[in-house]
């Protein structure tokens, strides 16, 4: 009989390579938000995958990028700080052809790291067989412990990836109860669901200046309804108008779609109230960053 194994695995890569999609596929539920816009993930997200043979704690990190403000500095620090604290690093790439400067920057960070490293080529559903083989051949020179092609969106080869991770994690205890899928507080997940919808529906210049804070979550006595109040912060008065939209239609759209995910999370009906407030230049103010939960 195999001895039980447990370990911590971080998922890193450039913005928008599919880290959150992979995490959600592994866990089997939506825990990390997804968007076509880069730098969607701002904090580490820890999710737990448990079977009879192992418990894997996956850490989704912000995408590696060149910071443009203090929030960006925080995000890169968060991503890099996990590397020496885990048993396995999954480095996601997603484009055929030569590695770009963003990928090369991450490779340089990883090259002296003693932690086991698996190179994961994502989005193979969008590559031809020739492109994939060329990518694998080109990446062999970077001396990863394993290279595995996957499609996070449809689950192709994700089981193969988990088998490789299992090979490298140590024997150890079960850190979390077997029904645990995340250690994120519900308030944090609710705030992220609202921010995800803002990312999906708003113009390019607005979403990255948005922060979301859950002000209250109150369960009614019958346990069948939550009252939730959420503040959406933006940096400019003009952005506030865009978020609210004509006759409040954009804010209603964000709230309606976010409420669906929140109800799935909580398993009950939700009365969601959204408020939009201006917080000038919060991404470059230490106090605002700490106040909104971006603490190193």
């Amino acid at each position: 009989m195999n001895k039980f194994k447990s370990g911590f695995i971080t998922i890193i890569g450039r913005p928008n390579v599919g880290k959150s999609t992979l995490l959600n596929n592994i866990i089997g539920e939506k825990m990390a938000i997804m968007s076509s816009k880069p730098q969607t993930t701002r904090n580490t997200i820890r999710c737990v995958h448990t079977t009879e043979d192992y418990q894997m704690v996956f850490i989704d990190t912000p995408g590696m990028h060149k910071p443009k403000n203090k929030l960006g500095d925080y995000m890169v620090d968060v991503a890099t700080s996990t590397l020496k604290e885990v048993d396995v690093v999954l480095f996601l790439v997603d484009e055929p052809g030569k590695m770009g400067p963003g990928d090369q920057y991450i490779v340089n960070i990883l090259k002296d790291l003693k932690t086991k490293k698996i190179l994961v080529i994502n989005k193979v559903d969008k590559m031809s067989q020739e492109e994939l083989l060329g990518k694998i051949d080109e990446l062999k020179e970077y001396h990863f412990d394993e290279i595995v092609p996957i499609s996070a969106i449809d689950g192709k080869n994700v089981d193969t990836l988990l088998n490789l991770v299992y090979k490298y994690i140590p024997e150890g205890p079960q850190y979390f109860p077997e029904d645990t899928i995340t250690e994120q507080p519900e308030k944090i997940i609710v705030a992220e669901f609202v921010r995800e919808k803002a990312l999906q529906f708003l113009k390019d210049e607005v979403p990255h200046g948005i922060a979301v804070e859950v002000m209250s979550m109150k369960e009614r006595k019958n346990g069948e309804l939550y009252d939730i109040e959420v503040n959406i912060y933006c940096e400019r008065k003009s952005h506030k108008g865009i978020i609210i939209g004509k006759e409040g239609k954009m804010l209603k759209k964000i709230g309606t779609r976010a409420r669906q995910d929140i109800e799935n999370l909580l398993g009950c009906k939700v009365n969601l109230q959204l408020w939009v407030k201006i917080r000038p230049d919060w991404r470059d103010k230490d106090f605002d960053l700490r106040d909104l939960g971006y603490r190193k």
Side-chain angles (χ1 to χ4, degrees):
M1 183 176 178
N2 292 334
K3 290 187 177 181
F4 194 83
K5 302 178 85 174
S6 58
F8 292 80
I9 303 97
T10 191
I11 308 173
I12 67 169
R14 290 178 296 100
N16 228 28
V17 293
K19 300 183 297 296
S20 296
T21 305
L22 173 60
L23 182 63
N24 289 338
N25 189 295
I26 291 171
I27 301 305
E29 292 193 34
K30 182 176 180 178
M31 288 291 112
I33 68 172
M34 297 178 291
S35 166
S36 61
K37 296 180 175 68
Q39 300 161 35
T40 299
T41 302
R42 288 178 175 171
N43 271 309
T44 56
I45 299 170
R46 290 176 172 83
C47 291
V48 185
H49 178 50
T50 306
T51 70
E52 293 182 354
D53 298 317
Y54 62 78
Q55 184 171 85
M56 299 178 184
V57 183
F58 288 90
I59 305 171
D60 184 20
T61 61
M64 297 279 202
H65 65 285
K66 187 176 181 179
K68 296 180 180 179
N69 47 48
K70 288 185 178 180
L71 175 62
D73 290 334
Y74 166 83
M75 290 162 64
V76 172
D77 285 347
V78 163
T80 56
S81 66
T82 65
L83 296 176
K84 295 181 180 180
E85 302 171 359
V86 297
D87 302 292
V88 179
V89 174
L90 304 183
F91 172 33
L92 264 67
V93 298
D94 69 345
E95 295 178 357
K98 293 290 182 181
M99 293 185 98
D103 288 324
Q104 192 63 58
Y105 168 73
I106 299 173
V107 167
N108 290 336
I109 292 174
L110 295 178
K111 66 180 181 181
D112 296 323
L113 195 68
K114 303 301 182 185
T115 309
K116 295 296 183 181
K117 301 179 285 287
I118 299 177
L119 183 64
V120 184
I121 304 174
N122 190 25
K123 304 182 184 179
V124 295
D125 51 303
K126 297 182 179 180
M127 297 183 194
S128 67
Q129 187 71 8
E130 184 179 357
E131 287 175 328
L132 176 58
L133 293 175
K135 186 75 171 178
I136 293 173
D137 189 57
E138 181 240 327
L139 295 173
K140 286 179 181 178
E141 66 178 272
Y142 293 101
H143 306 295
F144 284 85
D145 296 284
E146 306 281 355
I147 298 177
V148 56
I150 70 162
S151 173
I153 195 72
D154 61 21
K156 182 178 180 179
N157 282 349
V158 171
D159 285 344
T160 300
L161 174 61
L162 292 176
N163 289 336
L164 293 174
V165 172
Y166 176 80
K167 183 169 79 172
Y168 291 117
I169 60 175
E171 294 179 5
Q174 182 174 302
Y175 294 103
F176 298 94
E178 63 183 23
D179 59 348
T180 300
I181 59 173
T182 182
E183 62 173 3
Q184 299 293 108
E186 286 180 343
K187 275 190 174 184
I188 300 298
I189 301 174
V190 167
E192 287 291 88
F193 283 165
V194 173
R195 190 167 66 87
E196 177 187 51
K197 303 314 173 189
L199 284 167
Q200 289 178 357
F201 298 136
L202 293 171
K203 296 179 180 178
D204 290 342
E205 72 271 17
V206 178
H208 296 303
I210 283 178
V212 178
E213 182 180 23
V214 175
M215 305 308 295
S216 69
M217 285 182 64
K218 296 179 180 178
E219 183 180 3
R220 296 195 187 179
K221 290 183 179 180
N222 60 14
E224 296 179 359
L225 178 67
Y226 264 90
D227 292 305
I228 302 176
E229 292 191 9
V230 175
N231 283 349
I232 299 175
Y233 299 106
C234 59
E235 294 180 307
R236 301 177 188 176
K237 186 176 180 179
S238 61
H239 288 176
K240 180 177 179 179
I242 294 171
I243 296 167
I244 294 173
K246 187 177 180 180
E247 299 178 346
K249 289 182 179 179
M250 177 56 73
L251 189 62
K252 182 178 180 180
K253 185 177 181 180
I254 292 169
T256 299
R257 294 293 295 275
R259 190 180 68 247
Q260 294 171 0
D261 283 344
I262 297 168
E263 288 180 343
N264 288 336
L265 172 72
L266 300 177
C268 66
K269 294 293 183 181
V270 167
N271 174 33
L272 179 63
Q273 299 291 323
L274 302 182
W275 309 96
V276 184
K277 300 186 177 183
I278 301 171
R279 205 160 182 165
D281 300 320
W282 67 266
R283 286 180 293 177
D284 263 323
K285 294 179 179 178
D286 291 331
F287 173 80
D288 284 342
L289 289 170
R290 289 193 298 271
D291 189 48
L292 292 170
Y294 301 111
R295 300 179 179 91
K296 295 183 181 179

